[in-house]
Structure formats: structure tokens, C-alpha cells
Amino acid sequence: MSQYIVETKQANVSNLKREDLLNAMLYRHACKKFDPTKIIGHEDWSAILEAARLTPTSLGFEPFKLLVIQNKEIRQRMAEFGWGIQAGLEASHFVAILARKKQEIQFDSPYIRHMVDEVKQLPEDIQDLYKGFYKRFTEEDYKTFESERAAFDWTSKQAYIVLGNMLTMAAYEGIDSCPLEGFHQDNMTALLGDELGLFDTKEFGIAVMAAFGYRAEEPRRPKTRRTMDEIVEII
Ligand SMILES: Cc1cc2nc3c(=O)[nH]c(=O)nc-3n(C[C@H](O)[C@H](O)[C@H](O)COP(=O)(O)O)c2cc1C
């Protein structure tokens, strides 16, 4: 079987309890102080990565990559460019979620060809259909190729779905986390990409980051959210 085909036969949702997932979501909070001595176990971490891998993406093009930064020296360097990420840098695991840039998501780019030919293994006729949809979608519907920024914002949106799934899976395992946008994108990209060579800055930008580990203290403030009436309108 192709390495790209995900085995789904064992998936059975009939015995799952909705309370379990809701409890995990209530447990999740933006952790402000991680215990640096508590390390996430291999199986728990693997499940968080699997949640990322199984994330749906527009047209199934998976335009993201996870950079898991465990190197302490690199984390120290990163602190300079992130007012909001300092606490997260202490956590067991730290991830930069990269999103692909415009050149990467053109239909005839090597990356999209890899997705279409090898990963999705689309037959020729379906590929033609895809190409037509993609052209319309990117040029007329969402105008994702209008600018470098529009393209990166579009791939970053996919990266944020990845982020959400990782946070939820972590909470389901009793693991704390914090999504992180509190950093200077250009300076961080210059450090991780240009200086340290951890990714090619022509191909990727940093969409968002996240820290995973275990809380060193309980949340300082109660969780607040708008009421359902404020959020939902049924027409
Ligand atoms: C995309 C995103 C970026 C965030 N960036 C930061 C950050 O840089 N630093 C931080 O301490 N919290 C950050 N947060 C946490 C939010 O402030 C927090 O999720 C929000 O206040 C709701 O609180 P709760 O997650 O505890 O329910 C971020 C959250 C999201 C979703």
C-alpha cells in the first residue's frame, strides 16, 4: 500500500463520549507558566503530531510544515524576538508552524506536483478538473494569488487549523499548551530561516507558533467567553 494512504478502518466513533472532548476543551487554557522539568512522553507527543497530520486543508494541499524546536540554544536566541513567547520557550515541546509561500502553491510547482502525483495520486482527468477549480478559486473566488501576502495568509489559515487540532489533542491527553503569535515575524524568520538555515525563506514563512508541556501553576484568571446568543445567529 502507498505510504501516503492513511489507514482508517480502525476508526470507530460510536463509543466516544462528547463530555470527554468538551472536558478537554475546558481544561485547555493558554498556559502562562510551564514546568520545565516535565517532559511530554513519546506516545502523547506522537498523537499530537498525528492530529496535525490528519488536519483537513483546502483542496487537500497540506501547505504547512512543523518545525519542532527542542534545541535550548536556539530557543534562547528566539526569546529576543518574541515578547509573547517567553514562557512557551520553557515548555517541553515548542513548534513553529510554517506555511508555504506563493511560489510553492502554484499548480505547476514541484510541491503541488508532489501532492497531486505522489500523495493524492490523482488520475489525469481528475487532475485537469482540479487544475480548473484551483485556477478559478485562486484567481476569482478567493484571489489567493493576488499578492505574496494573500497567498501566505491563505496557507497560514490552513496552519491555524493544524494549530487548533494540536491544542485540542494535547488537552485530551492532559497536556497544556499555548498558541503563540507574540513574536516579530520578520526578525524571527531572519533568525530561524536566513541565519540558522532551518527552512528556506523563499518557500516558507512562520504562520504561528505553539508550546506544549505541563502547567507550573493553575490559570491566574477564570476563563471568559461570550454567550452563545452573542456568537450564534440562526436565520
Ligand atoms: C492565534 C493565537 C495567538 C496567541 N498568541 C499568544 C501569545 O503570543 N502569548 C500568549 O501568552 N498567549 C497567546 N495567545 C493566547 C490567548 O491570549 C488566549 O488563548 C485567549 O486569551 C483565551 O484564553 P484561553 O486560551 O486560556 O481560553 C494566543 C492565542 C491564539 C489563538
Side-chain angles (χ1 to χ4, degrees), residues 87-98:
L89 291 169
E90 297 280 307
S92 167
H93 286 62
F94 193 97
V95 183
I97 308 183
L98 309 181

Side-chain angles (χ1 to χ4, degrees), residues 25-26 28-32 83-87 160 163 167 177-183 208-209 219 221-225:
M25 290 178 144
L26 288 169
R28 190 212 58 77
H29 71 294
C31 185
K32 302 295 177 194
W83 51 267
I85 67 169
Q86 313 275 350
Y160 277 74
L163 170 73
L167 301 180
S177 62
C178 191
L180 301 166
E181 268 180 344
F183 61 93
V208 64
M209 297 183 175
R221 292 168 50 79
K223 195 182 274 301
T224 58
R225 287 296 187 273

Side-chain angles (χ1 to χ4, degrees), residues 10-95:
Q10 77 279 17
N12 175 6
V13 294
S14 61
N15 293 325
L16 300 183
K17 300 259 183 305
R18 84 166 64 85
E19 289 77 15
D20 290 340
L21 188 55
L22 281 174
N23 276 334
M25 290 178 144
L26 288 169
Y27 181 77
R28 190 212 58 77
H29 71 294
C31 185
K32 302 295 177 194
K33 198 170 191 325
F34 288 90
D35 182 339
T37 65
K38 288 197 185 154
I39 304 301
I40 300 171
H42 175 72
E43 281 186 24
D44 281 342
W45 180 244
S46 297
I48 293 170
L49 294 181
E50 189 64 353
R53 193 171 79 104
L54 293 176
T55 294
T57 52
S58 186
L59 288 104
F61 282 160
E62 306 177 41
F64 67 92
K65 181 176 173 175
L66 305 178
L67 196 60
V68 184
I69 303 170
Q70 299 304 85
N71 182 303
K72 293 269 178 322
E73 283 153 34
I74 294 178
R75 286 196 193 182
Q76 260 171 19
R77 299 273 321 269
M78 291 167 68
E80 187 187 342
F81 303 122
W83 51 267
I85 67 169
Q86 313 275 350
L89 291 169
E90 297 280 307
S92 167
H93 286 62
F94 193 97
V95 183

Side-chain angles (χ1 to χ4, degrees), residues 137-153:
F137 175 75
T138 51
E139 288 176 8
E140 294 171 36
D141 298 345
Y142 263 64
K143 301 188 173 64
T144 44
F145 289 156
E146 206 167 54
S147 65
E148 285 290 338
R149 180 72 198 225
F152 182 65
D153 282 350

Side-chain angles (χ1 to χ4, degrees), residues 69-233:
I69 303 170
Q70 299 304 85
N71 182 303
K72 293 269 178 322
E73 283 153 34
I74 294 178
R75 286 196 193 182
Q76 260 171 19
R77 299 273 321 269
M78 291 167 68
E80 187 187 342
F81 303 122
W83 51 267
I85 67 169
Q86 313 275 350
L89 291 169
E90 297 280 307
S92 167
H93 286 62
F94 193 97
V95 183
I97 308 183
L98 309 181
R100 288 191 187 261
K101 290 193 169 171
K102 190 175 168 192
Q103 66 163 39
E104 291 291 290
I105 51 166
Q106 308 285 336
F107 202 84
D108 50 5
S109 72
Y111 175 70
I112 296 295
R113 289 250 58 87
H114 167 63
M115 288 306 300
V116 166
D117 293 340
E118 284 144 26
V119 180
K120 301 177 87 60
Q121 299 171 40
L122 298 180
E124 286 286 322
D125 51 335
I126 308 283
Q127 281 198 31
D128 289 343
L129 266 179
Y130 244 68
K131 195 167 183 171
F133 279 135
Y134 198 49
K135 190 172 159 48
R136 193 178 121 183
F137 175 75
T138 51
E139 288 176 8
E140 294 171 36
D141 298 345
Y142 263 64
K143 301 188 173 64
T144 44
F145 289 156
E146 206 167 54
S147 65
E148 285 290 338
R149 180 72 198 225
F152 182 65
D153 282 350
W154 180 62
T155 57
S156 292
K157 286 183 197 168
Q158 329 288 323
Y160 277 74
I161 306 175
V162 172
L163 170 73
N165 281 344
M166 292 176 83
L167 301 180
T168 303
M169 175 56 91
Y172 201 85
E173 298 179 308
I175 292 167
D176 291 302
S177 62
C178 191
L180 301 166
E181 268 180 344
F183 61 93
H184 193 289
Q185 261 183 332
D186 290 346
N187 289 345
M188 195 65 86
T189 301
L191 172 68
L192 300 182
D194 298 326
E195 187 185 329
L196 299 175
L198 303 179
F199 61 90
D200 186 334
T201 55
K202 288 195 286 303
E203 295 174 1
F204 291 102
I206 307 168
V208 64
M209 297 183 175
F212 298 88
Y214 294 93
R215 61 187 76 183
E217 57 183 38
E218 290 306 310
R220 293 168 200 166
R221 292 168 50 79
K223 195 182 274 301
T224 58
R225 287 296 187 273
R226 289 181 296 152
T227 64
M228 207 54 95
D229 285 349
E230 282 188 60
I231 292 175
V232 183
E233 182 178 348

